[in-house]
Amino acid sequence: MPEALLDPSRRRPTAPHIFAGRIVGLLEAQVGCRATGLWQAIPNGDTMTSDESQIRAFLERRTAAQRSKDIDLLMSFYSPDISYYDAVAPLRFTRAAEVRRNFLRWFDGYVGPIGLETHDLTIVTTEDAAFANMLHLDSGKRRGGIELPIWVRETVCLRRLAGAWAITHEHISIPINPANFQIWFASEKDAPARGGGRSIFGLVASSLRTRLGLRRGAVEKLA
């Protein structure tokens, strides 16, 4: 009998052996990366797509709760120790109770449901953390009968807690005009800085013109 058959160390590896060895090597590498926290460095389209889809659906459900002013449902999307930066004073709202009161203040400014559209949503995920940024068109009939559609910017940070995603930080902002420190309201999503925005007076005038059917000059005199 040939010596190569008697001594395993002298056998030449066959194609199935080589393939099996490569699979084992990949599995060992992936297990090692999970253990050292470097798993994100290995592309894994299925996992990342699944997480992104979960967060996209999560944010859609949150927006539905905002539109319907369902405060209990809305707060279920936030961590108890949420840190919230809004476009209104103070600088920040901390923990769920303060954030809840701020949402109720926002709800109270509208008569009926809130029109809220999400645009240009971008989501980045890791194993147990994620962040997303987007633009919102906030609209609806406000107290006093005025309708003022407003574009706002939003960034949210999320963590997977006990197997479920929760928002741990949220930041809402509106640009200002540095020349006069007045709020700059974008006329549309991709409006340029020069000529693409309005002050609060221009925004109210536009709303009144639409509501009352007045000509531009008449409304400007009222403003």
Side-chain angles (χ1 to χ4, degrees), residues 168-190:
T168 57
H169 176 65
E170 184 166 328
H171 192 159
I172 305 292
S173 64
I174 302 175
I176 66 165
N177 182 344
N180 55 22
F181 292 99
Q182 291 185 4
I183 297 176
W184 185 87
F185 293 98
S187 56
E188 57 186 30
K189 177 168 65 73
D190 297 313

Side-chain angles (χ1 to χ4, degrees), residues 133-151:
N133 61 75
M134 67 212 80
L135 298 175
H136 284 305
L137 180 58
D138 184 335
S139 63
K141 182 174 290 186
R142 299 173 188 270
R143 298 289 178 187
I146 296 177
E147 297 189 31
L148 299 175
I150 297 174
W151 284 99

Side-chain angles (χ1 to χ4, degrees), residues 3 10 12-13 42 98 103 113 125 142 147 160 220:
E3 294 183 8
R10 298 180 61 184
R12 296 182 61 185
I42 295 180
E98 285 190 7
F103 279 139
T125 65
R142 299 173 188 270
E147 297 189 31
R160 201 194 313 262
E220 287 176 348

Side-chain angles (χ1 to χ4, degrees), residues 62 64-78 96-108 114:
R62 183 198 62 152
Q66 291 171 321
R67 290 190 187 115
S68 62
K69 302 181 181 179
D70 189 334
I71 188 61
D72 291 328
L73 178 59
L74 179 56
M75 292 308 302
S76 71
F77 295 94
Y78 292 87
E98 285 190 7
V99 173
R100 182 187 182 95
R101 285 193 293 270
N102 186 49
F103 279 139
L104 290 173
R105 174 206 55 79
W106 178 45
F107 290 171
D108 190 54
I114 298 173

Side-chain angles (χ1 to χ4, degrees), residues 11-28:
R11 296 176 188 170
R12 296 182 61 185
T14 62
H17 290 139
I18 295 173
F19 179 75
R22 289 177 178 174
I23 292 297
V24 171
L26 285 173
L27 291 174
E28 289 176 344

Side-chain angles (χ1 to χ4, degrees), residues 10-221:
R10 298 180 61 184
R11 296 176 188 170
R12 296 182 61 185
T14 62
H17 290 139
I18 295 173
F19 179 75
R22 289 177 178 174
I23 292 297
V24 171
L26 285 173
L27 291 174
E28 289 176 344
Q30 291 182 358
V31 170
C33 286
R34 281 188 182 275
T36 58
L38 298 176
W39 175 250
Q40 295 85 353
I42 295 180
N44 186 336
D46 293 340
T47 300
M48 301 307 283
T49 301
S50 175
D51 286 342
E52 182 177 334
S53 298
Q54 289 177 19
I55 293 171
R56 190 174 295 273
F58 172 96
L59 293 174
E60 288 174 357
R61 294 193 302 273
R62 183 198 62 152
T63 300
Q66 291 171 321
R67 290 190 187 115
S68 62
K69 302 181 181 179
D70 189 334
I71 188 61
D72 291 328
L73 178 59
L74 179 56
M75 292 308 302
S76 71
F77 295 94
Y78 292 87
S79 167
D81 59 352
I82 173 70
S83 172
Y84 196 103
Y85 296 175
D86 205 345
V88 300
L91 280 177
R92 61 181 178 178
F93 297 89
T94 56
R95 304 192 66 82
E98 285 190 7
V99 173
R100 182 187 182 95
R101 285 193 293 270
N102 186 49
F103 279 139
L104 290 173
R105 174 206 55 79
W106 178 45
F107 290 171
D108 190 54
Y110 288 84
V111 178
I114 298 173
L116 198 63
E117 299 177 11
T118 301
H119 295 259
D120 298 349
L121 174 62
T122 300
I123 300 170
V124 177
T125 65
T126 62
E127 191 166 351
D128 288 316
F131 71 86
N133 61 75
M134 67 212 80
L135 298 175
H136 284 305
L137 180 58
D138 184 335
S139 63
K141 182 174 290 186
R142 299 173 188 270
R143 298 289 178 187
I146 296 177
E147 297 189 31
L148 299 175
I150 297 174
W151 284 99
V152 299
R153 306 173 293 198
E154 178 181 14
T155 300
V156 295
C157 302
L158 307 95
R159 289 183 60 194
R160 201 194 313 262
L161 304 170
W165 291 104
I167 298 173
T168 57
H169 176 65
E170 184 166 328
H171 192 159
I172 305 292
S173 64
I174 302 175
I176 66 165
N177 182 344
N180 55 22
F181 292 99
Q182 291 185 4
I183 297 176
W184 185 87
F185 293 98
S187 56
E188 57 186 30
K189 177 168 65 73
D190 297 313
R194 183 180 293 275
R198 293 171 289 181
S199 68
I200 185 61
F201 301 107
L203 202 65
V204 171
S206 176
S207 176
L208 286 173
R209 186 168 62 248
T210 301
R211 182 184 175 194
L212 302 177
L214 298 175
R215 291 180 299 176
R216 184 181 182 87
V219 174
E220 287 176 348
K221 289 179 180 179

